């Protein structure tokens, strides 16, 4: 995953790449919701570090999420 300070040019493709790197297939993504996948990402990050890291969402983050569908 990219650092918080980097702007992602194509967030939907960045998300797909992260899913594929995790081992999810396109077929998996047909059945999983966005929230399901994000929970998987959070679970893996928590397991690696032993602690949960959260970034407070900005209005731009919410706007980008709303416009990604």
């Amino acid at each position: 995953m990219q650092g918080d300070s980097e702007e992602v040019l194509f967030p939907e493709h960045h998300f797909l790449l992260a899913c594929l790197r995790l081992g999810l297939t396109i077929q998996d993504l047909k059945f999983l919701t966005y929230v399901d996948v994000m929970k998987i990402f959070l679970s893996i990050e928590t397991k690696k570090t032993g602690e949960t890291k959260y970034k407070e969402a900005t209005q731009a983050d919410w706007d980008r999420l709303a416009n990604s569908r």
Side-chain angles (χ1 to χ4, degrees):
M1 293 285 216
Q2 293 179 336
D4 292 339
S5 62
E6 283 188 50
E7 181 66 29
V8 176
L9 187 57
F10 300 107
E12 63 279 7
H13 293 101
H14 182 75
F15 174 79
L16 286 173
L17 178 61
C19 291
L20 295 173
R21 284 182 176 162
L22 183 64
L24 296 174
T25 65
I26 299 298
Q27 197 65 21
D28 294 331
L29 295 176
K30 289 180 181 180
F31 296 101
L32 295 169
T33 66
Y34 177 79
V35 172
D36 292 334
V37 176
M38 294 309 295
K39 287 179 180 178
I40 293 169
F41 288 154
L42 286 172
S43 297
I44 290 171
E45 185 64 29
T46 301
K47 186 176 178 181
K48 284 182 183 176
T49 64
E51 62 182 59
T52 303
K53 293 182 180 179
Y54 291 101
K55 174 189 172 227
E56 189 166 334
T58 64
Q59 186 61 47
D61 293 329
W62 288 110
D63 292 343
R64 201 170 26 255
L65 180 61
N67 292 323
S68 67
R69 289 196 162 245

